Amino acid sequence: MPDLLAVENLRQIFGGRNRTYAVDDVSFRIPAEPRIVSLVGESGSGKSTIARIILGLLRPTAGTVLYDGVDIFRPDRSWNRRFRSEVQAVFQDPYSVYNPVYKAERVLKLVIRKFGLAKTKAEARERMEAALRAVDLQPDEVLDRHPHQLSGGQRQRLMLARVYLMRPRLIVADEPVSMIDAGMRASFLNILGDFRDNHGISTLFITHDLSTAMYLGGEIIVLYQGRIMETGATHSVMSAPMHPYAQLLIDSIPTPDPRRRWEEDLSSAPLSEIGGATVASAPNRDHCLFADRCPQVMEKCWAARPVLRAPAARAADAAHRDVACYLYD
Amino acid sequence: MPALLEIRGLSAGLQGRRAITQVISQIDLDVQAGEILGVVGESGCGKSTLATAIMRLLVPPQVLQSGSIRLRLAAGETVDLLAISESELRALRWRHLSYIPQGSMNSLNPVLRVGRQMMDTLIQHGLTSGEARARAIEALELVNLERKLLDSYPHELSGGMRQRVIIAAAVSMRPALIVADELTTALDVVTQRQILQELAAIRDELGATILLITHDMGVVAQIADRVAVMYAGKIAELGSVHGIFEAPRHPYSQGLIGSIPRASGQRVEGLPGEAPSPWNYPAGCRFHPRCPKVFDLCREHAPELMRQDSGRWAACHLYDDEVAAHA
Ligand SMILES: Nc1ncnc2c1ncn2[C@@H]1O[C@H](COP(=O)(O)OP(=O)(O)OP(=O)(O)O)[C@@H](O)[C@H]1O
Ligand SMILES: Nc1ncnc2c1ncn2[C@@H]1O[C@H](COP(=O)(O)OP(=O)(O)O)[C@@H](O)[C@H]1O
Ligand code: SF4
Ligand code: SF4
Ligand SMILES: [Mg+2]
Ligand SMILES: [Mg+2]
């Protein structure tokens, strides 16, 4: 069976004079079996650009995206229709995608009609209620309401109910929980887990919040300035990151436990080394992009870009891991 | 030691056509000199309203309803920020207390160089141009920025650098109190960590006191000395950061801390239901519709914030000895 999604050597360069390398040779895959893959990285690292390309909203400068073995930018119309129903987007602020004059019921009915999901009114109603229940919403509490009468968390779950109706194989979710509160966040993430375990739906989950990625489990891809620095099983990467950037990133998560405070004090570390600008427009990129901030930088790090690959010394039973760093050659 | 800031009975609301809808109600809070006091709560619980009320910067439809806010200036001398005149207050801002509003890193003037913007404020406070420049450079160094940044325009800086410029401006007059609202919310974790650590260093170096307002439990756990947990416009619980995180007493604090997604990936359940907005604050204890421990009294009587042992305060009938005695 082909992979559900295979992203190969993706590259996206924006702009004329000030070229921005938003995505710089990114490859990864999501297998046919249901998975949750998190794409993490700081602001501007290229996460949303990758999402837009995968959704077919942006044609990349170079590289291919295969969905179920087919290049998403070169298929025919009937395939397109299938792709649009099987791959669904969930964005940060669901408010903006709803027509404010439509009630929740209308939002869901439109989908049912558009994709011919029910033959009778009773069947449509049944489907809607099942979808709402799948995302922990009470049908009678939300169906008769306009989007602005729902809370952020409810709107976001209504969005998931809409997605659920279509029974996609893949959800591409770009920062879906960053606007909702901690309490509500957990229940949203639990739904994605249920989708995977009970409905065979995979999710590509984009976030800058590592604790959310950790909670989701699955696999993780750590991006930095448009390149993948490290990838592997989320729990294994999170508990023992190998790439110096992944280490700094994971070490900086504000753990909600005062007994486990940050050990190293970065308050006087020079900004050119840590936390500096991440504008991905440096003209020369033929080196490790983290070299100017890396505490372990070596001469060769400036000479050529490190390849993303399995580290040389790994226990045979260790979970799969790829790292783009000369420390592991 | 008397507190640096003593907030008593502070209430503020939103002026509607017919009535005022109260947003924050009867807030009592002491901020101790030299501490970092974290104020946490879900979005909409009134954190920013509290911050702006303290700074006396509420703008219509926001209205102040009642309260006093005493700031200690020098030995023994205190002023009530809510009672003094606008010009007296202006003399205190920046020198004694400064404010970093939510989203302020996007408020820099895009057509003025960073140095100009920082110095203009200092000059308005009576410094000469030379003094202002020296102060601005000194302040930039406190947040790890080089002096050459004075000549940059805001768009040339990353979000983290712009936020640092804002912090530098806020501390340039060496105020005793800094009120910072969602200081690092828009930043990535590495930058957030470094800025918070810089803030802690500034506290040590200048002996400043910081009121850090955030919805992020991780941020307060990392950096605060004490924590005030807000719910629906009131303080639910107040105590040391260790006390609050390791043994929360108020059922809301318990739920909030229990619903944080854990690294272990262990499934947590969110708090049931959602926080009410000011237009539908419930009667009695405002948390009662979501409280797993609710009992009859909670539905009718609002619990007051009461002192527990060892510097802990909680607003919950479960911890009211008199209620317990009658039960
Ligand atoms: N249409 C565009 N034209 C020019 N530059 C763009 C465009 N879209 C994105 N970029 C640039 O590409 C880079 C990656 O942007 P992207 O939106 O993918 O980042 P992100 O990882 O999603 O960031 P965030 O966490 O802030 O959402 C950034 O430098 C951004 O400014
Ligand atoms: N100027 C305003 N106009 C209308 N509603 C407001 C205004 N300021 C605050 N509110 C409302 O008051 C409540 C508390 O807001 P806020 O203090 O900003 O909360 P927080 O900072 O905790 O997120 C929210 O319901 C908010 O929508
Ligand atoms: S390749 Fe070199 S500079 Fe880059 S992360 Fe590894 S050690 Fe650091
Ligand atoms: S007063 Fe009652 S409802 Fe409120 S938190 Fe305490 S037990 Fe729960
Ligand atoms: Mg994005
Ligand atoms: Mg706020």
Side-chain angles (χ1 to χ4, degrees), chain A residues 42-43 151 154 181-184 186-187 189-190 194 208 210-211 214-215 235 248-249 251-262 264-271 274-278 293, chain B residues 42-43 144-145 158 161 164 187-194 196-198 201 216-224 241-242 245-246 259-271 273-274:
Chain A
E42 55 201 72
S43 183
S151 74
Q154 286 177 325
D181 285 318
M184 202 75 86
S187 58
L189 300 176
N190 291 345
D194 289 343
H208 69 274
L210 288 138
S211 56
M214 235 170 343
Y215 183 68
H235 289 134
L248 175 66
L249 190 69
D251 207 34
S252 297
I253 299 171
T255 312
D257 181 349
R259 287 168 298 193
R260 292 174 51 216
R261 287 192 165 177
W262 294 309
E264 197 191 341
D265 186 1
L266 300 181
S267 67
S268 49
L271 291 198
I274 294 167
T278 56
R293 293 165 72 182
Chain B
E42 294 167 89
S43 92
N144 249 324
L145 295 177
S158 70
M161 287 164 133
R164 286 181 171 90
L187 303 170
D188 65 90
V189 291
V190 178
T191 307
Q192 161 167 286
R193 167 183 176 185
Q194 201 181 15
L196 291 172
Q197 292 182 326
E198 284 162 7
D216 190 331
M217 299 296 283
V219 165
V220 284
Q222 289 295 322
I223 220 79
V241 67
H242 284 280
F245 276 86
E246 288 153 34
S259 69
I260 299 169
R262 300 280 159 176
S264 58
Q266 200 180 63
R267 194 175 168 115
V268 295
E269 299 304 328
L271 283 161
E274 43 192 303

Side-chain angles (χ1 to χ4, degrees), chain B residues 4 22 24 30 41 62 69 74 129 158 208 221 231 243 248 282 286 295-296 322:
Chain B
L4 177 73
Q22 196 161 77
I24 55 170
D30 283 0
Q62 299 175 309
I69 302 176
S129 165
S158 70
Y231 184 78
R286 289 180 183 171
F295 54 105
D296 285 347
E322 269 177 48

Side-chain angles (χ1 to χ4, degrees), chain A residues 243-245 288-291 294 296-298 301 306 324-327:
Chain A
H243 194 285
Y245 172 66
C288 171
L289 295 175
F290 191 58
C294 181
Q296 282 143 286
V297 61
M298 303 166 282
C301 306
C325 170
Y326 289 120
L327 292 173

Side-chain angles (χ1 to χ4, degrees), chain A residues 177-190:
Chain A
V177 293
S178 58
M179 309 264 287
I180 55 182
D181 285 318
M184 202 75 86
R185 200 171 286 186
S187 58
F188 183 94
L189 300 176
N190 291 345

Side-chain angles (χ1 to χ4, degrees), chain A residues 147-168:
Chain A
H148 64 88
Q149 293 169 321
L150 302 172
S151 74
Q154 286 177 325
R155 280 201 296 269
Q156 200 56 294
R157 279 180 290 164
L158 178 62
M159 185 75 188
L160 276 189
R162 185 174 168 275
V163 162
Y164 176 89
L165 270 178
M166 293 182 265
R167 294 299 169 105

Side-chain angles (χ1 to χ4, degrees), chain A residues 76-109:
Chain A
D76 55 69
R77 271 171 96 190
S78 73
W79 190 92
N80 253 327
R81 200 181 153 77
R82 192 191 125 202
F83 178 74
R84 280 209 314 275
S85 74
E86 290 186 5
V87 180
Q88 289 298 324
V90 177
F91 291 114
Q92 179 170 25
D93 182 12
Y95 199 66
S96 57
V97 301
Y98 294 135
N99 185 327
V101 304
Y102 288 0
K103 289 181 177 171
E105 181 169 11
R106 181 99 181 264
V107 170
L108 298 180
K109 266 194 182 147

